[in-house]
Amino acid sequence: MRRSSTTVESNQMTSSTTKNRAFDFTILSLLLLGVLFIFIATPSGLKPLLSNPRPQCNCSTMYEMVVYQDELDEVLAETSTENKTVIIAVVNKAYVEGDKSMLDLFLDGFWIGDDTQGLVNHILIVATDPVSYNRCKFLRLHCYKLETKGVDFAGEQAFMSEDYVKMMWRRTLFLGDVLKRGYNFIFTDTDILWLRNPFSVMSANETFDFQMACDSYQGKESFTINNGFTIVRSNNKTISLYDIWYSKRKEYVGRNEQHVLVQLMQNGLFQDLGLNVRFLDTIHFSGFCENSRDVGLVVTVHANCCTTISAKLADLTIVIHDWKRANKLSANEISTFKWSKHKACTNSRNN
C-alpha cells in the first residue's frame, strides 16, 4: 500500500511540473508575440524609442545656421523686405524729445497713410546718441546705434553748421556700408510724412539704380535735388558712387554731401558709372518748397525749406489735418483741394 501511494504522488508531481512548464512557455510566447506586434504596429513617430539611440544626420532636412558679421548685419536682416530692401531714418536726441517729437509725428504718418502701416516693420531707425537709441528701443522699433567717436550729434543741428556737415557725411558713409552688405534702401528724413506706399510708384520700373527727391521739379531738365529722400539699389555702380562721393569730402571742405553730389553730377560721374537715375516729381514726392499738385497722387510730404524743428512739427501737424480733410472729400471736391499754408516754416526762414 505504501509503494502504491508513493507512485501516485510521484505521478501527480510530474503532471504538475509539466503543466507549469507549459504555462510558462505559453506566457513567454505571448510576451514575444507582444513585443513583435509592438515593433511592427508602432507609429513612425514612436519608432525612434526602439531604434538606435545615436542621432542620424539627414542633411536634406538640417536647418541652415545664419552667422551675422555684426550687429548691423543682424538688424538689416531682421528689418528688410523679401527683396532685401530696408527703409532707413536717422534720428538724434533733438528728434525724439518733447511732448510730440519728430519721431512720433513721423510714425503717425504711417498710421494715417494709405497702405503704409505695414511698412513700419521695415523701418530701421539709426540713432546717433544713447537717448535716441533708448527711445527707439522703447517704441519696439528696429534700432541701430551709429556711434561716431569724438562727435556729439545729440542736439538740433543748424543747417550747414560744422556738426551738421559732419553728420551728413557720416550718414553718407553709413548708407554706402548698407549697399556693400547687399541691401537696397529707401532713405528718408524723419521730417517726412509717408501718406501713401511708395512701392506702388516704384514698381513700374525696377531698373533705376538711384532715385532722388527734389525741392522743385519742372521736368527732367529742370529740377533742384533734395538728398532727404533717396531710393537706391545695391549693385557695383551704386557702391562705387557712394565710395567716390564720400571720398570727395576732403576736396570740398565745409560743404555738405548734397552740394558735393551736385558737383559730381555736373562733372558727369553718373554717366561715367553707367547709373540709371531718376529724379522724383514733386507731384508724388512733395514738400514745403513745392506742394504736390494733386493730393490724389501725393506719396510723401517733406518739411523742407524750413529751419527749425518746432516749425516743422507745427506745419507737418497741419499737413496731417489736411490729409484727413482730403480723405473725406468726394471725387468732384478733391479737384479743388488746396494745401494749407506753411506759416511756421515761412516765419522760421524769415527770422
Side-chain angles (χ1 to χ4, degrees), residues 71-80 86 124 178 181 183:
E71 182 183 351
L72 177 57
D73 220 36
E74 183 174 359
V75 75
L76 285 170
E78 292 173 350
T79 310
S80 67
V86 61
L124 174 60
V178 171
R181 293 167 186 260
Y183 289 90

Side-chain angles (χ1 to χ4, degrees), residues 220-344:
K220 294 182 179 180
E221 304 301 323
S222 179
F223 53 83
T224 305
I225 68 168
N226 188 303
N227 193 36
F229 188 90
T230 52
I231 305 167
V232 187
R233 297 178 66 199
S234 174
N235 55 42
N236 290 335
K237 293 180 288 185
T238 55
I239 290 171
S240 295
L241 169 64
Y242 274 77
D243 280 345
I244 295 170
W245 186 5
Y246 182 72
S247 70
K248 294 296 181 180
R249 76 195 186 284
K250 297 178 181 178
E251 297 181 24
Y252 297 88
V253 178
R255 299 284 188 173
N256 70 351
E257 88 300 347
Q258 185 168 295
H259 173 87
V260 174
L261 183 64
V262 171
Q263 295 298 312
L264 295 176
M265 287 168 50
Q266 293 174 350
N267 294 338
L269 179 61
F270 285 3
Q271 291 85 348
D272 293 343
L273 293 175
L275 284 165
N276 192 7
V277 179
R278 178 170 73 162
F279 297 100
L280 302 170
D281 194 331
T282 53
I283 195 171
H284 297 293
F285 301 91
S286 67
F288 292 171
C289 296
E290 186 170 286
N291 289 325
S292 171
R293 304 180 300 278
D294 190 342
V295 72
L297 297 176
V298 67
V299 175
T300 60
V301 177
H302 189 180
N304 48 16
C305 292
C306 194
T307 59
T308 66
I309 292 178
S310 59
K312 292 172 184 280
L313 286 170
D315 284 347
L316 284 175
T317 300
I318 294 174
V319 170
I320 288 178
H321 296 159
D322 283 350
W323 173 252
K324 291 179 178 179
R325 174 168 56 88
N327 285 332
K328 295 178 182 178
L329 299 176
S330 65
N332 293 331
E333 293 172 326
I334 202 75
S335 61
T336 62
F337 171 86
K338 292 186 180 300
W339 298 98
S340 299
K341 294 185 180 298
H342 315 300
K343 294 180 180 179

Side-chain angles (χ1 to χ4, degrees), residues 52-272:
N52 191 331
R54 290 184 299 175
Q56 300 295 316
C57 173
N58 185 346
C59 297
S60 64
T61 60
M62 287 181 66
Y63 292 101
E64 180 182 357
M65 185 175 69
V66 179
V67 179
Y68 298 109
Q69 295 180 22
D70 52 25
E71 182 183 351
L72 177 57
D73 220 36
E74 183 174 359
V75 75
L76 285 170
E78 292 173 350
T79 310
S80 67
T81 63
E82 291 183 359
N83 71 340
K84 298 190 73 173
T85 299
V86 61
I87 301 167
I88 299 175
V90 177
V91 298
N92 64 358
K93 179 181 177 182
Y95 268 50
V96 302
E97 290 189 325
D99 294 335
K100 187 72 172 181
S101 72
M102 187 65 73
L103 179 58
D104 293 333
L105 201 64
F106 174 69
L107 296 173
D108 284 350
F110 290 91
W111 175 251
I112 65 167
D114 183 8
D115 190 30
T116 53
Q117 291 186 11
L119 296 178
V120 174
N121 297 326
H122 304 296
I123 299 174
L124 174 60
I125 300 296
V126 179
T128 62
D129 57 83
V131 173
S132 57
Y133 179 75
N134 291 337
R135 178 61 178 170
C136 176
K137 298 298 287 185
F138 175 79
L139 293 172
R140 298 185 180 278
L141 302 170
H142 296 291
C143 315
Y144 179 73
K145 187 186 296 183
L146 183 65
E147 296 179 329
T148 305
K149 293 181 179 180
V151 182
D152 180 13
F153 290 143
E156 181 174 355
Q157 306 298 332
F159 181 69
M160 289 308 297
S161 66
E162 183 178 353
D163 282 346
Y164 171 86
V165 173
K166 287 180 180 179
M167 180 185 289
M168 295 303 100
W169 282 116
R170 183 66 184 91
R171 185 180 79 183
T172 304
L173 178 63
F174 173 78
L175 294 175
D177 188 16
V178 171
L179 293 175
K180 290 175 182 177
R181 293 167 186 260
Y183 289 90
N184 316 307
F185 65 76
I186 302 179
F187 174 78
T188 173
D189 277 346
T190 321
D191 59 349
I192 294 179
L193 293 176
W194 290 45
L195 301 179
R196 285 192 172 87
N197 189 332
F199 287 100
S200 61
V201 178
M202 295 162 51
S203 61
N205 190 338
E206 294 185 355
T207 63
F208 289 110
D209 301 305
F210 185 85
Q211 302 177 69
M212 179 176 284
C214 299
D215 284 338
S216 61
Y217 185 91
Q218 286 78 44
K220 294 182 179 180
E221 304 301 323
S222 179
F223 53 83
T224 305
I225 68 168
N226 188 303
N227 193 36
F229 188 90
T230 52
I231 305 167
V232 187
R233 297 178 66 199
S234 174
N235 55 42
N236 290 335
K237 293 180 288 185
T238 55
I239 290 171
S240 295
L241 169 64
Y242 274 77
D243 280 345
I244 295 170
W245 186 5
Y246 182 72
S247 70
K248 294 296 181 180
R249 76 195 186 284
K250 297 178 181 178
E251 297 181 24
Y252 297 88
V253 178
R255 299 284 188 173
N256 70 351
E257 88 300 347
Q258 185 168 295
H259 173 87
V260 174
L261 183 64
V262 171
Q263 295 298 312
L264 295 176
M265 287 168 50
Q266 293 174 350
N267 294 338
L269 179 61
F270 285 3
Q271 291 85 348
D272 293 343

